[in-house]
Coordinates of all heavy atoms in Angstrom, one line a residue:
M1 N 19.3 15.1 0.5 CA 18.0 14.8 0.1 C 17.0 14.6 1.3 O 17.4 14.0 2.2 CB 18.0 13.5 -0.8 CG 16.7 13.0 -1.2 SD 16.7 11.5 -2.2 CE 17.4 12.1 -3.7
N2 N 15.9 15.2 1.2 CA 14.9 15.1 2.2 C 14.4 13.6 2.3 O 14.0 13.1 1.3 CB 13.7 16.0 1.9 CG 12.7 16.0 3.0 OD1 12.4 15.0 3.6 ND2 12.0 17.2 3.1
W3 N 14.3 13.0 3.5 CA 13.9 11.6 3.6 C 12.4 11.4 3.2 O 12.0 10.3 2.9 CB 14.1 11.1 5.0 CG 13.2 11.6 6.0 CD1 13.4 12.8 6.7 CD2 12.0 11.1 6.5 NE1 12.3 13.0 7.6 CE2 11.4 11.9 7.5 CE3 11.3 9.9 6.1 CZ2 10.2 11.7 8.1 CZ3 10.1 9.7 6.8 CH2 9.6 10.5 7.7
M4 N 11.6 12.5 3.1 CA 10.2 12.4 2.8 C 10.0 12.4 1.3 O 8.9 12.0 0.9 CB 9.4 13.5 3.4 CG 9.3 13.5 4.9 SD 8.2 12.1 5.4 CE 6.6 12.9 4.9
T5 N 10.9 12.8 0.5 CA 10.7 12.9 -0.9 C 11.7 12.2 -1.7 O 12.9 12.5 -1.7 CB 10.6 14.4 -1.4 OG1 11.9 15.0 -1.0 CG2 9.5 15.1 -0.7
G6 N 11.3 11.2 -2.5 CA 12.2 10.6 -3.5 C 13.2 9.5 -3.0 O 13.8 8.9 -3.8
S7 N 13.4 9.4 -1.7 CA 14.4 8.4 -1.3 C 13.9 7.0 -1.4 O 12.7 6.7 -1.3 CB 14.9 8.7 0.1 OG 14.0 8.2 1.0
K8 N 14.8 6.1 -1.7 CA 14.5 4.7 -1.9 C 14.0 4.2 -0.5 O 13.1 3.3 -0.5 CB 15.7 3.9 -2.3 CG 15.5 2.5 -2.7 CD 16.7 1.9 -3.3 CE 16.4 0.5 -3.7 NZ 17.5 -0.1 -4.4
F9 N 14.5 4.7 0.6 CA 14.1 4.3 1.9 C 12.6 4.5 2.1 O 11.9 3.6 2.6 CB 14.9 5.0 3.0 CG 14.5 4.8 4.4 CD1 14.7 3.6 5.0 CD2 13.7 5.7 5.0 CE1 14.3 3.4 6.3 CE2 13.3 5.5 6.3 CZ 13.6 4.3 7.0
V10 N 12.2 5.7 1.8 CA 10.8 6.0 2.0 C 9.9 5.1 1.2 O 8.9 4.6 1.6 CB 10.5 7.5 1.7 CG1 9.0 7.8 1.7 CG2 11.2 8.4 2.7
R11 N 10.2 4.9 -0.1 CA 9.4 4.1 -1.0 C 9.4 2.6 -0.4 O 8.3 2.0 -0.4 CB 9.9 4.1 -2.4 CG 9.6 5.4 -3.1 CD 10.0 5.3 -4.6 NE 11.4 4.9 -4.9 CZ 12.4 5.7 -5.0 NH1 12.2 7.0 -4.8 NH2 13.6 5.3 -5.2
T12 N 10.5 2.2 0.1 CA 10.5 0.8 0.7 C 9.7 0.8 1.9 O 8.9 -0.2 2.1 CB 12.0 0.4 1.0 OG1 12.7 0.5 -0.2 CG2 12.1 -0.9 1.6
M13 N 9.8 1.8 2.7 CA 9.0 1.8 4.0 C 7.5 1.9 3.7 O 6.7 1.2 4.4 CB 9.4 3.0 4.9 CG 10.8 2.8 5.5 SD 10.9 1.3 6.5 CE 9.7 1.7 7.8
V14 N 7.1 2.6 2.7 CA 5.7 2.7 2.4 C 5.1 1.3 2.0 O 4.1 0.9 2.4 CB 5.4 3.7 1.2 CG1 4.0 3.6 0.7 CG2 5.7 5.1 1.7
V15 N 5.9 0.6 1.1 CA 5.5 -0.7 0.7 C 5.4 -1.6 2.0 O 4.5 -2.4 2.2 CB 6.3 -1.3 -0.4 CG1 6.0 -2.7 -0.6 CG2 6.1 -0.5 -1.7
G16 N 6.5 -1.5 2.8 CA 6.5 -2.4 4.0 C 5.4 -2.1 4.9 O 4.8 -3.0 5.5
I17 N 5.1 -0.8 5.1 CA 4.0 -0.5 6.0 C 2.7 -0.9 5.4 O 1.8 -1.5 6.1 CB 4.0 1.0 6.3 CG1 5.2 1.4 7.1 CG2 2.7 1.5 7.0 CD1 5.5 2.9 7.2
A18 N 2.5 -0.7 4.1 CA 1.3 -1.2 3.5 C 1.0 -2.7 3.6 O -0.1 -3.1 3.7 CB 1.3 -0.8 2.0
L19 N 2.1 -3.4 3.6 CA 2.0 -4.9 3.7 C 1.8 -5.3 5.1 O 1.5 -6.5 5.3 CB 3.3 -5.5 3.1 CG 3.4 -5.4 1.6 CD1 4.8 -6.0 1.2 CD2 2.3 -6.1 0.9
C20 N 1.9 -4.5 6.1 CA 1.7 -4.9 7.5 C 0.3 -5.6 7.6 O 0.2 -6.6 8.4 CB 1.7 -3.7 8.4 SG 3.4 -3.1 8.7
G21 N -0.7 -5.2 6.9 CA -2.0 -5.9 7.0 C -1.9 -7.3 6.4 O -2.6 -8.2 6.9
A22 N -1.0 -7.5 5.5 CA -0.8 -8.8 4.9 C -0.3 -9.9 5.9 O -0.6 -11.0 5.8 CB 0.1 -8.8 3.7
W23 N 0.4 -9.4 6.9 CA 0.9 -10.4 7.9 C -0.2 -11.0 8.7 O 0.0 -12.1 9.3 CB 1.9 -9.7 8.8 CG 3.2 -9.3 8.1 CD1 3.6 -8.1 7.8 CD2 4.2 -10.2 7.6 NE1 4.8 -8.1 7.1 CE2 5.2 -9.4 7.0 CE3 4.4 -11.6 7.6 CZ2 6.3 -9.9 6.4 CZ3 5.5 -12.1 7.0 CH2 6.5 -11.3 6.4
A24 N -1.3 -10.3 8.7 CA -2.4 -10.9 9.5 C -3.1 -12.1 8.8 O -3.7 -12.9 9.4 CB -3.5 -9.8 9.6
F25 N -2.8 -12.3 7.5 CA -3.3 -13.4 6.8 C -2.5 -14.6 7.0 O -1.3 -14.6 6.9 CB -3.4 -13.2 5.3 CG -4.3 -12.0 4.9 CD1 -3.7 -10.8 4.5 CD2 -5.6 -12.2 5.0 CE1 -4.6 -9.8 4.1 CE2 -6.5 -11.1 4.6 CZ -5.9 -9.9 4.2
A26 N -3.1 -15.7 7.4 CA -2.3 -17.0 7.6 C -2.0 -17.6 6.3 O -2.9 -17.6 5.4 CB -3.1 -17.9 8.5
A27 N -0.8 -18.1 6.1 CA -0.5 -18.8 4.9 C -1.2 -20.1 4.9 O -1.2 -20.8 5.9 CB 1.0 -18.9 4.8
P28 N -1.7 -20.5 3.7 CA -2.3 -21.9 3.6 C -1.2 -22.9 4.0 O 0.0 -22.7 3.9 CB -2.6 -22.0 2.1 CG -2.8 -20.6 1.6 CD -1.8 -19.8 2.4
A29 N -1.7 -24.1 4.5 CA -0.8 -25.1 4.9 C 0.2 -25.4 3.8 O -0.1 -25.6 2.6 CB -1.6 -26.4 5.2
G30 N 1.5 -25.5 4.1 CA 2.6 -25.8 3.2 C 3.1 -24.6 2.4 O 4.0 -24.7 1.7
E31 N 2.4 -23.4 2.5 CA 2.8 -22.3 1.8 C 3.7 -21.4 2.7 O 3.2 -21.0 3.7 CB 1.6 -21.5 1.2 CG 2.0 -20.3 0.4 CD 0.8 -19.6 -0.2 OE1 0.0 -19.0 0.6 OE2 0.6 -19.6 -1.4
P32 N 4.9 -21.0 2.3 CA 5.7 -20.1 3.1 C 5.0 -18.8 3.3 O 4.3 -18.3 2.4 CB 7.0 -20.0 2.3 CG 7.0 -21.1 1.4 CD 5.6 -21.5 1.1
A33 N 5.2 -18.2 4.4 CA 4.6 -16.9 4.7 C 5.0 -15.8 3.7 O 4.1 -15.0 3.3 CB 4.9 -16.4 6.1
V34 N 6.2 -15.9 3.2 CA 6.6 -14.8 2.2 C 5.8 -14.9 0.9 O 5.5 -13.9 0.3 CB 8.1 -14.9 1.9 CG1 8.5 -16.2 1.2 CG2 8.6 -13.7 1.2
I35 N 5.4 -16.1 0.5 CA 4.6 -16.3 -0.6 C 3.2 -15.7 -0.4 O 2.6 -15.0 -1.3 CB 4.4 -17.8 -1.0 CG1 5.8 -18.4 -1.4 CG2 3.5 -18.0 -2.2 CD1 6.6 -17.7 -2.5
A36 N 2.6 -15.9 0.8 CA 1.3 -15.3 1.1 C 1.4 -13.8 1.1 O 0.5 -13.1 0.6 CB 0.9 -15.8 2.5
V37 N 2.5 -13.2 1.6 CA 2.7 -11.8 1.6 C 2.8 -11.3 0.1 O 2.2 -10.2 -0.2 CB 3.9 -11.3 2.4 CG1 4.2 -9.9 2.2 CG2 3.6 -11.6 3.9
L38 N 3.6 -12.0 -0.7 CA 3.7 -11.5 -2.1 C 2.4 -11.6 -2.8 O 2.0 -10.7 -3.6 CB 4.7 -12.4 -2.8 CG 6.2 -12.2 -2.3 CD1 7.1 -13.2 -3.0 CD2 6.6 -10.7 -2.6
K39 N 1.5 -12.6 -2.5 CA 0.2 -12.7 -3.1 C -0.7 -11.6 -2.7 O -1.4 -11.0 -3.4 CB -0.4 -14.0 -2.8 CG 0.1 -15.2 -3.6 CD -0.6 -16.5 -3.2 CE -0.1 -17.7 -3.9 NZ -0.8 -18.9 -3.5
A40 N -0.6 -11.2 -1.4 CA -1.4 -10.1 -0.8 C -0.9 -8.8 -1.4 O -1.8 -7.9 -1.8 CB -1.2 -10.1 0.7
D41 N 0.4 -8.6 -1.7 CA 0.9 -7.4 -2.3 C 0.4 -7.3 -3.8 O 0.0 -6.3 -4.2 CB 2.4 -7.3 -2.3 CG 2.9 -6.0 -2.7 OD1 2.3 -5.0 -2.3 OD2 3.9 -5.9 -3.5
K42 N 0.4 -8.4 -4.5 CA -0.2 -8.5 -5.8 C -1.6 -8.1 -5.8 O -2.1 -7.3 -6.7 CB 0.0 -9.9 -6.5 CG -0.4 -9.9 -7.9 CD -0.1 -11.3 -8.5 CE -0.4 -11.4 -9.9 NZ -0.1 -12.7 -10.5
A43 N -2.4 -8.5 -4.9 CA -3.8 -8.2 -4.7 C -3.9 -6.7 -4.4 O -4.8 -6.0 -4.9 CB -4.5 -9.0 -3.7
R44 N -3.0 -6.2 -3.6 CA -3.0 -4.7 -3.2 C -2.8 -3.9 -4.5 O -3.5 -2.9 -4.7 CB -2.0 -4.4 -2.2 CG -1.9 -2.9 -1.8 CD -0.7 -2.7 -0.9 NE 0.6 -2.9 -1.5 CZ 1.3 -2.0 -2.2 NH1 0.8 -0.8 -2.4 NH2 2.5 -2.4 -2.8
L45 N -1.8 -4.2 -5.3 CA -1.5 -3.5 -6.5 C -2.7 -3.5 -7.4 O -3.1 -2.5 -8.0 CB -0.3 -4.0 -7.2 CG 1.0 -3.8 -6.4 CD1 2.2 -4.4 -7.1 CD2 1.3 -2.3 -6.1
A46 N -3.3 -4.7 -7.6 CA -4.5 -4.8 -8.5 C -5.7 -3.9 -8.0 O -6.3 -3.3 -8.7 CB -4.9 -6.3 -8.6
A47 N -5.9 -3.9 -6.6 CA -6.9 -3.1 -6.1 C -6.6 -1.6 -6.2 O -7.6 -0.8 -6.5 CB -7.1 -3.4 -4.6
M48 N -5.4 -1.2 -6.1 CA -5.0 0.2 -6.3 C -5.3 0.6 -7.7 O -5.9 1.7 -7.9 CB -3.5 0.4 -6.0 CG -3.2 0.4 -4.5 SD -1.4 0.4 -4.2 CE -0.9 1.9 -4.8
I49 N -4.9 -0.2 -8.7 CA -5.1 0.2 -10.1 C -6.6 0.2 -10.4 O -7.0 1.0 -11.2 CB -4.3 -0.8 -11.0 CG1 -2.8 -0.5 -10.8 CG2 -4.7 -0.6 -12.5 CD1 -1.9 -1.6 -11.4
A50 N -7.3 -0.7 -9.9 CA -8.8 -0.8 -10.1 C -9.6 0.3 -9.4 O -10.7 0.5 -9.6 CB -9.3 -2.2 -9.8
G51 N -8.9 0.9 -8.4 CA -9.6 1.9 -7.6 C -10.6 1.2 -6.6 O -11.6 1.8 -6.3
N52 N -10.3 0.0 -6.2 CA -11.2 -0.8 -5.4 C -10.9 -0.5 -3.9 O -10.1 -1.3 -3.3 CB -11.0 -2.3 -5.7 CG -12.0 -3.1 -5.0 OD1 -12.6 -2.8 -4.0 ND2 -12.2 -4.3 -5.6
G53 N -11.5 0.5 -3.3 CA -11.2 0.8 -1.9 C -11.6 -0.2 -1.0 O -11.0 -0.4 0.1
A54 N -12.7 -1.0 -1.3 CA -13.2 -2.0 -0.3 C -12.1 -3.1 -0.2 O -11.8 -3.6 0.9 CB -14.5 -2.6 -0.8
A55 N -11.5 -3.5 -1.4 CA -10.5 -4.5 -1.3 C -9.2 -4.0 -0.6 O -8.6 -4.8 0.2 CB -10.1 -5.0 -2.8
L56 N -8.9 -2.7 -0.8 CA -7.7 -2.2 -0.1 C -8.0 -2.2 1.4 O -7.1 -2.5 2.2 CB -7.5 -0.8 -0.6 CG -6.8 -0.6 -1.9 CD1 -6.7 0.8 -2.4 CD2 -5.4 -1.3 -1.9
A57 N -9.2 -1.8 1.8 CA -9.6 -1.8 3.3 C -9.4 -3.2 3.9 O -8.9 -3.3 5.0 CB -11.0 -1.4 3.5
D58 N -9.7 -4.3 3.1 CA -9.5 -5.6 3.6 C -8.0 -6.0 3.7 O -7.6 -6.8 4.5 CB -10.2 -6.6 2.7 CG -11.7 -6.5 2.9 OD1 -12.2 -6.0 3.9 OD2 -12.5 -7.0 2.0
L59 N -7.2 -5.5 2.7 CA -5.8 -5.9 2.6 C -4.9 -5.1 3.6 O -3.8 -5.7 3.9 CB -5.3 -5.7 1.2 CG -5.9 -6.7 0.2 CD1 -5.6 -6.2 -1.2 CD2 -5.3 -8.1 0.4
M60 N -5.2 -3.9 3.9 CA -4.3 -3.0 4.6 C -4.5 -3.0 6.1 O -5.6 -3.1 6.6 CB -4.3 -1.6 4.0 CG -3.9 -1.5 2.6 SD -4.0 0.2 2.1 CE -3.2 0.1 0.5
S61 N -3.4 -2.9 6.8 CA -3.5 -2.8 8.3 C -4.2 -1.5 8.7 O -4.1 -0.4 8.0 CB -2.1 -2.7 8.8 OG -2.0 -2.4 10.2
D62 N -4.9 -1.5 9.8 CA -5.5 -0.3 10.4 C -4.5 0.7 10.8 O -4.9 1.9 10.9 CB -6.4 -0.7 11.6 CG -7.7 -1.5 11.1 OD1 -8.1 -1.4 10.0 OD2 -8.2 -2.2 12.0
Q63 N -3.3 0.3 11.0 CA -2.2 1.2 11.4 C -1.5 1.9 10.2 O -0.5 2.6 10.4 CB -1.2 0.5 12.3 CG -1.7 0.2 13.7 CD -2.5 -1.1 13.7 OE1 -2.2 -2.0 12.9 NE2 -3.5 -1.1 14.5
L64 N -2.0 1.6 9.0 CA -1.4 2.2 7.8 C -1.2 3.7 7.8 O -2.1 4.4 8.2 CB -2.2 1.8 6.6 CG -1.7 2.4 5.3 CD1 -0.5 1.7 4.7 CD2 -2.8 2.5 4.2
Q65 N 0.0 4.1 7.5 CA 0.3 5.5 7.2 C 0.9 5.6 5.8 O 2.0 5.2 5.6 CB 1.2 6.1 8.3 CG 0.7 6.2 9.7 CD -0.4 7.3 9.8 OE1 -0.2 8.4 9.4 NE2 -1.6 6.9 10.2
F66 N 0.1 6.0 4.9 CA 0.5 6.0 3.5 C 1.2 7.3 3.2 O 0.6 8.4 3.3 CB -0.7 5.8 2.5 CG -0.3 5.4 1.1 CD1 -0.3 4.1 0.8 CD2 0.0 6.4 0.2 CE1 0.0 3.7 -0.5 CE2 0.4 6.0 -1.1 CZ 0.4 4.7 -1.4
V67 N 2.5 7.3 2.8 CA 3.2 8.5 2.5 C 3.3 8.6 0.9 O 3.9 7.7 0.3 CB 4.6 8.5 3.1 CG1 5.4 9.7 2.7 CG2 4.6 8.3 4.6
H68 N 2.7 9.6 0.4 CA 2.7 9.9 -1.0 C 4.1 10.5 -1.5 O 4.8 11.0 -0.6 CB 1.6 10.8 -1.5 CG 0.2 10.2 -1.3 ND1 -0.4 9.4 -2.3 CD2 -0.6 10.2 -0.2 CE1 -1.6 9.0 -1.8 NE2 -1.7 9.4 -0.6
S69 N 4.4 10.4 -2.7 CA 5.6 10.9 -3.2 C 5.7 12.5 -3.0 O 6.8 13.0 -3.0 CB 5.8 10.6 -4.7 OG 4.8 11.1 -5.5
D70 N 4.6 13.2 -2.9 CA 4.7 14.6 -2.6 C 4.7 14.9 -1.1 O 4.7 16.1 -0.8 CB 3.5 15.3 -3.3 CG 2.1 14.9 -2.7 OD1 2.1 14.1 -1.7 OD2 1.1 15.4 -3.2
G71 N 4.9 13.9 -0.3 CA 5.0 14.1 1.1 C 3.7 14.1 1.9 O 3.8 14.1 3.2
R72 N 2.6 14.0 1.3 CA 1.3 13.9 2.0 C 1.3 12.6 2.7 O 1.7 11.6 2.2 CB 0.1 14.0 1.1 CG -0.1 15.3 0.4 CD -1.3 15.3 -0.5 NE -1.1 14.4 -1.6 CZ -1.8 13.3 -2.0 NH1 -2.9 13.0 -1.3 NH2 -1.5 12.5 -3.0
V73 N 0.7 12.6 3.9 CA 0.5 11.4 4.7 C -1.0 11.2 5.0 O -1.7 12.1 5.4 CB 1.3 11.5 6.1 CG1 1.1 10.2 6.9 CG2 2.7 11.8 5.8
E74 N -1.4 9.9 4.7 CA -2.8 9.6 4.9 C -2.9 8.4 5.8 O -2.1 7.5 5.7 CB -3.5 9.3 3.6 CG -3.7 10.5 2.6 CD -4.4 10.0 1.4 OE1 -4.1 9.0 0.8 OE2 -5.4 10.8 1.0
S75 N -4.0 8.3 6.6 CA -4.3 7.1 7.4 C -4.9 6.2 6.4 O -5.3 6.5 5.3 CB -5.2 7.5 8.5 OG -6.5 7.8 8.0
K76 N -5.1 4.9 6.9 CA -5.8 3.9 6.1 C -7.2 4.5 5.7 O -7.6 4.4 4.5 CB -5.9 2.6 6.8 CG -6.8 1.6 6.1 CD -7.0 0.4 7.0 CE -8.1 -0.6 6.4 NZ -8.2 -1.8 7.2
G77 N -7.9 5.0 6.7 CA -9.3 5.5 6.4 C -9.3 6.6 5.4 O -10.2 6.5 4.5
D78 N -8.4 7.5 5.5 CA -8.4 8.6 4.5 C -8.0 8.1 3.1 O -8.5 8.5 2.1 CB -7.4 9.7 5.0 CG -7.8 10.5 6.2 OD1 -9.1 10.5 6.4 OD2 -7.0 11.0 6.9
Y79 N -7.0 7.2 3.1 CA -6.5 6.7 1.8 C -7.7 5.9 1.1 O -7.9 6.1 -0.1 CB -5.3 5.7 2.0 CG -4.8 5.2 0.8 CD1 -4.0 6.0 -0.1 CD2 -5.0 3.9 0.4 CE1 -3.5 5.4 -1.3 CE2 -4.5 3.3 -0.8 CZ -3.8 4.1 -1.6 OH -3.3 3.6 -2.8
V80 N -8.4 5.1 1.8 CA -9.5 4.3 1.3 C -10.6 5.2 0.9 O -11.2 5.1 -0.2 CB -10.0 3.2 2.2 CG1 -11.3 2.6 1.7 CG2 -8.9 2.1 2.4
K81 N -10.9 6.2 1.7 CA -12.0 7.2 1.4 C -11.7 7.9 0.1 O -12.5 8.1 -0.7 CB -12.2 8.1 2.6 CG -13.3 9.2 2.3 CD -13.4 10.1 3.5 CE -12.3 11.1 3.5 NZ -12.3 12.1 4.4
N82 N -10.5 8.4 0.0 CA -10.1 9.1 -1.2 C -10.0 8.2 -2.4 O -10.4 8.7 -3.5 CB -8.7 9.8 -1.0 CG -8.8 10.9 0.0 OD1 -9.8 11.5 0.2 ND2 -7.7 11.2 0.7
M83 N -9.7 7.0 -2.2 CA -9.7 6.1 -3.4 C -11.1 5.9 -3.9 O -11.4 5.9 -5.1 CB -9.1 4.7 -3.0 CG -9.0 3.7 -4.0 SD -7.9 4.0 -5.4 CE -6.4 3.8 -4.6
M84 N -12.0 5.7 -2.9 CA -13.4 5.5 -3.3 C -14.1 6.8 -3.9 O -15.0 6.7 -4.6 CB -14.2 5.1 -2.0 CG -13.7 3.8 -1.3 SD -14.2 2.3 -2.0 CE -15.9 2.1 -1.5
A85 N -13.5 7.9 -3.5 CA -14.0 9.2 -4.1 C -13.4 9.6 -5.4 O -13.6 10.7 -5.9 CB -13.8 10.3 -3.0
D86 N -12.5 8.7 -5.9 CA -11.8 9.0 -7.1 C -10.8 10.1 -7.0 O -10.5 10.8 -8.0 CB -12.7 9.2 -8.3 CG -13.5 7.9 -8.7 OD1 -12.9 6.8 -8.5 OD2 -14.6 8.0 -9.2
D87 N -10.3 10.4 -5.8 CA -9.3 11.5 -5.6 C -7.9 11.0 -5.9 O -7.0 11.8 -6.1 CB -9.4 12.0 -4.1 CG -10.6 12.8 -3.8 OD1 -11.3 13.2 -4.8 OD2 -10.9 13.0 -2.7
T88 N -7.8 9.7 -6.0 CA -6.5 9.1 -6.3 C -6.7 8.1 -7.4 O -7.6 7.3 -7.4 CB -5.9 8.3 -5.0 OG1 -5.8 9.3 -4.0 CG2 -4.5 7.8 -5.3
E89 N -5.8 8.1 -8.4 CA -5.9 7.2 -9.5 C -4.5 6.7 -9.9 O -3.5 7.5 -10.0 CB -6.5 7.9 -10.7 CG -6.6 7.0 -11.9 CD -7.2 7.7 -13.1 OE1 -7.5 8.9 -13.1 OE2 -7.5 7.0 -14.1
Y90 N -4.4 5.4 -10.0 CA -3.1 4.7 -10.4 C -3.3 4.1 -11.8 O -4.2 3.4 -12.0 CB -2.7 3.6 -9.4 CG -2.4 4.2 -8.0 CD1 -3.4 4.2 -7.0 CD2 -1.1 4.6 -7.7 CE1 -3.1 4.7 -5.8 CE2 -0.8 5.1 -6.4 CZ -1.8 5.2 -5.5 OH -1.5 5.6 -4.3
K91 N -2.4 4.5 -12.7 CA -2.4 3.9 -14.0 C -1.6 2.6 -14.0 O -1.9 1.7 -14.7 CB -1.8 4.8 -15.0 CG -2.5 6.1 -15.2 CD -3.8 5.9 -15.9 CE -4.5 7.3 -16.1 NZ -5.8 7.2 -16.5
D92 N -0.6 2.5 -13.1 CA 0.3 1.4 -13.1 C 1.0 1.4 -11.7 O 1.2 2.5 -11.1 CB 1.4 1.4 -14.2 CG 2.1 0.1 -14.3 OD1 1.6 -1.0 -14.0 OD2 3.3 0.1 -14.7
A93 N 1.3 0.2 -11.2 CA 2.0 0.2 -9.9 C 2.9 -1.1 -9.9 O 2.4 -2.1 -10.4 CB 1.0 0.1 -8.7
K94 N 4.1 -1.0 -9.5 CA 5.0 -2.1 -9.4 C 5.8 -2.1 -8.1 O 6.1 -1.0 -7.6 CB 6.0 -2.0 -10.6 CG 5.3 -2.2 -11.9 CD 6.4 -2.1 -13.1 CE 5.7 -2.3 -14.4 NZ 5.7 -1.2 -15.2
T95 N 6.2 -3.2 -7.7 CA 7.1 -3.3 -6.5 C 8.4 -3.9 -7.0 O 8.4 -4.6 -8.1 CB 6.5 -4.1 -5.4 OG1 6.2 -5.4 -5.9 CG2 5.3 -3.5 -4.8
S96 N 9.5 -3.7 -6.3 CA 10.8 -4.4 -6.6 C 11.4 -4.8 -5.4 O 11.1 -4.4 -4.3 CB 11.6 -3.4 -7.4 OG 11.9 -2.2 -6.6

């Protein structure tokens, strides 16, 4: 199996890379960092489904490399630009 298409590793890495921006957010006092990251991921999924490129730009790291299931790779700028241009649409998104 090609590592770029369909492997669990790639899907996990995409989510992990997408969350890199979430590490920049400081957890509120008394809140574990993992909870802050999970909240940021929930906000990311909501922004993806809503097509809210501005929210995604705030949530994602500038170093983001988004790998789509068809093997296309987009930078954060390209991903947000395409989201704002309605080139990408998500009906549902879940993490596990």
Side-chain angles (χ1 to χ4, degrees):
M1 177 179 289
N2 183 328
W3 72 274
M4 288 289 287
T5 56
S7 79
K8 189 173 185 177
F9 173 76
V10 171
R11 287 189 303 272
T12 302
M13 289 303 296
V14 168
V15 171
I17 292 168
L19 288 176
C20 285
W23 291 109
F25 297 107
E31 181 176 69
V34 69
I35 300 299
V37 170
L38 291 172
K39 284 181 180 179
D41 190 45
K42 186 175 181 178
R44 177 187 66 90
L45 294 176
M48 287 171 61
I49 292 168
N52 187 340
L56 286 172
D58 288 341
L59 289 165
M60 294 181 173
S61 168
D62 289 338
Q63 289 82 33
L64 173 77
Q65 292 290 304
F66 195 96
V67 181
H68 293 270
S69 59
D70 65 2
R72 291 179 296 123
V73 179
E74 291 180 314
S75 67
K76 172 187 171 178
D78 289 337
Y79 182 75
V80 170
K81 180 180 77 175
N82 290 335
M83 179 69 69
M84 304 277 286
D86 292 328
D87 287 347
T88 304
E89 181 179 7
Y90 295 93
K91 299 288 185 193
D92 192 28
K94 295 180 177 114
T95 57
S96 60

